């Protein structure tokens, strides 16, 4: 047998296993939720839901529907009770078999969840899947709340939450905009191998920096990109902003400001480094108004580290 035939047969066996698992899931899901026969994104009758995306999970709990969740993805770290649920994997690297293992009767996923192959397997299993749009603005947060509420059959509760969040966001952004200084902020995603991976426009980091009344030092490109030393020096950031995480995301102030290019910036001269919890800072969920306030204060407070 050739190597190609071996690989093809191996792939076939895997596909058969997944289909068998999916078929078993369908049978079990139907027995668990016999009344559920709704189309695609109507999850109003679902009682065994997998939530994918930290902000989606937060919204479900804010709507007092956390008891309907049976699993969540690894970015769903808030509220604390969510961490007691089985972890279905990283939002962009879901394992279909892992999701099926918790016998869900629905999936509520943030836009960008994947990979597509895993979603295809879940769809083939007949599990209703509602996608929640992602946008890094105040209106985007409200749209998420409305979408989750509508999918869960909790539109009235979502309207109340949306109104409260809208008011809080408007107040927080107004407070931030009224501050006299507008620091230039460089969001550093990682410092892997001494290369600075920074945030441009159309990102969560760009959105929260703007909402906090500051200036994203990188406006020349969209998304995340590694910067050259010459580019970093030219950006002249007043503050470096990072997630409060380990590994390449967790470089300390000494390491960060010893970088040959970052050492030349105003941020290094005053050692201005702000760290915040990643989901709190970039999640764009019900807590974003509080994150805006904390970030606005931290960006203007020498030597501060927001938590």
């Amino acid at each position: 047998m050739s190597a190609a035939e071996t690989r093809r047969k191996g792939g076939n066996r895997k596909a058969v296993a997944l289909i068998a698992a999916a078929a078993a899931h369908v049978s079990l899901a139907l027995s668990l939720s016999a009344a559920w026969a709704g189309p695609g994104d109507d999850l109003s009758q679902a009682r065994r839901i997998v939530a994918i995306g930290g902000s989606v999970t937060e919204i479900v709990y804010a709507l007092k529907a956390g008891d309907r969740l049976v699993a969540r993805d690894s970015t769903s770290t808030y509220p604390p009770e969510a961490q007691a649920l089985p972890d279905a994997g990283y939002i962009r690297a879901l394992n279909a078999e892992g999701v099926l293992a918790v016998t869900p009767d629905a999936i509520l996923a943030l836009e960008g969840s994947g990979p597509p192959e895993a979603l295809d397997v879940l769809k083939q299993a007949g599990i209703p899947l509602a996608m929640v749009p992602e946008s890094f603005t105040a209106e985007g947060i409200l749209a998420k709340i409305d979408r989750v509420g509508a999918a869960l059959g909790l539109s009235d509760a979502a309207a109340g939450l949306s109104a409260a969040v809208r008011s809080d966001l408007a107040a927080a952004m107004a407070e931030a905009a009224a501050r006299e200084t507008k620091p230039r902020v460089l969001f550093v995603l990682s410092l892997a191998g001494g290369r600075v991976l920074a945030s441009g426009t159309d990102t969560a980091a760009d959105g929260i920096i703007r909402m906090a009344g500051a200036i994203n030092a990188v406006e020349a490109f969209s998304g995340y990109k590694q910067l050259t030393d010459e580019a970093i020096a030219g950006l002249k950031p007043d503050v470096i902003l990072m997630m409060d995480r380990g590994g390449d995301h967790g470089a300390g102030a000494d390491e960060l400001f010893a970088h040959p290019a970052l050492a030349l910036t105003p941020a290094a001269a005053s050692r201005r480094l702000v760290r915040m919890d990643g989901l709190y800072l970039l999640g764009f969920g019900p807590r974003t108004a509080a994150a805006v306030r904390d970030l606005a204060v931290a960006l203007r407070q020498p030597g501060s580290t927001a938590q």
Side-chain angles (χ1 to χ4, degrees), residues 50-53 73-75 87-99 107-123 129-132:
V50 176
I52 307 297
D73 77 310
S74 60
T75 70
D87 187 342
Y90 179 58
I91 181 172
R92 305 194 200 292
L94 298 172
N95 181 305
E97 291 170 292
V99 174
I107 299 169
L108 191 58
L110 187 63
E111 184 180 45
S113 298
E117 295 79 8
L119 296 183
D120 285 345
V121 171
L122 296 171
K123 290 175 183 175
L129 190 156
M131 298 298 294
V132 180

Side-chain angles (χ1 to χ4, degrees), residues 44-264:
S44 58
Q45 301 302 311
R47 292 295 181 271
R48 295 186 58 81
I49 302 172
V50 176
I52 307 297
S55 58
V56 167
T57 302
E58 284 196 42
I59 293 169
V60 172
Y61 277 97
L63 294 175
K64 312 297 183 189
D67 60 343
R68 292 167 64 179
L69 299 182
V70 293
R72 46 92 190 181
D73 77 310
S74 60
T75 70
S76 298
T77 58
Y78 187 89
E81 50 265 44
Q83 298 185 43
L85 296 172
D87 187 342
Y90 179 58
I91 181 172
R92 305 194 200 292
L94 298 172
N95 181 305
E97 291 170 292
V99 174
L100 292 172
V102 299
T103 62
D105 58 10
I107 299 169
L108 191 58
L110 187 63
E111 184 180 45
S113 298
E117 295 79 8
L119 296 183
D120 285 345
V121 171
L122 296 171
K123 290 175 183 175
Q124 289 169 19
I127 304 173
L129 190 156
M131 298 298 294
V132 180
E134 176 71 295
S135 175
F136 309 121
T137 63
E139 290 303 318
I141 296 169
L142 303 177
K144 283 193 219 178
I145 294 172
D146 292 345
R147 174 69 171 135
V148 172
L152 298 181
L154 298 172
S155 292
D156 288 346
L161 176 62
S162 183
V165 171
R166 180 190 296 275
S167 176
D168 203 16
L169 281 169
M173 292 169 64
E175 292 166 17
R179 295 181 182 275
E180 293 183 359
T181 59
K182 297 189 181 302
R184 292 175 59 80
V185 181
L186 175 62
F187 179 83
V188 175
L189 181 64
S190 79
L191 201 63
R195 301 292 301 275
V196 174
L197 182 61
S199 167
T201 59
D202 304 316
T203 62
D206 179 69
I208 197 73
I209 289 170
R210 293 175 187 272
M211 291 170 74
I215 299 169
N216 184 358
V218 181
E219 296 181 329
F221 59 83
S222 175
Y224 292 88
K225 184 177 179 181
Q226 285 189 331
L227 302 180
T228 64
D229 288 357
E230 293 76 13
I232 294 170
L235 295 174
K236 300 179 179 179
D238 300 304
V239 185
I240 305 297
L241 177 63
M242 297 184 75
M243 289 188 289
D244 189 12
R245 295 171 59 184
D248 294 329
H249 303 288
D254 290 342
E255 179 184 356
L256 193 73
F257 294 131
H259 186 281
L262 291 173
L264 303 176

